[in-house]
Amino acid sequence: MKSERVDLSLPPPADILPDVIRQVGYPSPDDLKEDMLGEVERAIRDGLEIVRPDSLYRTTPFLRLEKDLLVGEGVEVRSQRWVHLMKRLRDPEVICCFVVTTGLALEEAINDMQGKSLFDAYLLDAVGSVVIERLTDQMERHVSGLLGAEGYQTTARFSPGYCDWDLSEGQEELFRFLSPESVGVKRTSAGMMIPQKSISATLVGAREVSLRSPCPFCSKGDCPYRREREERGPSHG
Ligand code: SF4
């Protein structure tokens, strides 16, 4: 299957305000003085005007598991932890890879702003971090919905650089499979993406997914990315 774009919608400003405030370093809106709150709200308005979301996904048949490798048609994911998860799924049949970006204009605006006001650049960067997560959540729901319509349940998404999936190798694999350069996303040899506010990820569709991530049986206690036990919920198809 060839890669497809998805139209993603920007979140309403009020919706992301609490997350941006947390991203900036305050526990809640109540901890901000009024003028600071005004600055954050302005940064959100400015940021949302600049963001140009774009995205691409591609699905492919899952073929087999090897020792530490999920093998799909045209793409491989090297992760022992996700191999363990795969063994607990009933009939995994599809791998879906995707990339989401906030676009280059936001990156340029943050860089420009650094020459004028580090504080404003910091706020704009925080807005970008929150928006890219929201857009990626939207993308994950979209592809999970598409797979759900075909009778699949889906795992959580996972990205190169997380768990035990090597960042550079994983990005190289996803970029070769997806060619996200067509939506303006490039990668460095170290695996970073340009624009930086971009996320690449993979998820798996199976006939039954009783556990959405390998975290519950992972012994890495101090992992900052640990997800709570995610049983399947009704919203995931
Ligand atoms: S706890 Fe961390 S390393 Fe372990 S499976 Fe979860 S995300 Fe991966």
Side-chain angles (χ1 to χ4, degrees), residues 81-82 162-164 213-215 218-220 223 225-227:
R81 290 193 174 98
W82 282 80
Y162 291 83
C163 260
D164 51 355
S213 82
C215 301
C218 173
S219 59
K220 195 172 173 203
C223 175
Y225 308 113
R226 176 173 286 281
R227 302 178 214 207

Side-chain angles (χ1 to χ4, degrees), residues 161-235:
Y162 291 83
C163 260
D164 51 355
W165 193 11
D166 180 77
L167 175 64
S168 169
E169 181 188 322
Q171 291 296 33
E172 188 177 344
E173 190 65 14
L174 287 191
F175 270 66
R176 199 179 43 70
F177 179 65
L178 270 175
S179 303
E181 293 85 353
S182 65
V183 292
V185 181
K186 300 181 190 152
R187 72 179 172 93
T188 66
S189 55
M192 303 306 290
M193 283 186 284
I194 304 164
Q196 284 183 33
K197 304 299 181 197
S198 303
I199 291 180
S200 62
T202 296
L203 54 76
V204 173
R207 292 300 169 189
E208 192 179 325
V209 174
S210 52
L211 212 53
R212 302 192 71 229
S213 82
C215 301
F217 53 86
C218 173
S219 59
K220 195 172 173 203
D222 60 348
C223 175
Y225 308 113
R226 176 173 286 281
R227 302 178 214 207
E228 296 306 313
R229 187 180 179 87
E230 292 179 285
E231 304 290 355
R232 287 216 47 80
S235 62

Side-chain angles (χ1 to χ4, degrees), residues 85-110:
L85 177 71
M86 292 291 284
K87 289 178 180 166
R88 294 173 181 237
L89 308 182
R90 181 166 71 78
D91 299 334
E93 292 178 1
V94 188
I95 296 179
C96 179
C97 304
F98 56 88
V99 166
V100 179
T101 184
T102 53
L104 196 57
L106 178 68
E107 178 120 328
E108 289 172 348
I110 294 169

Side-chain angles (χ1 to χ4, degrees), residues 10-11 16 20 48 51 102 126-136:
L10 290 174
I16 59 171
V20 175
L48 288 175
V51 170
T102 53
V127 172
S129 297
V130 170
V131 171
I132 188 59
E133 285 294 335
R134 292 297 186 94
L135 293 172
T136 309

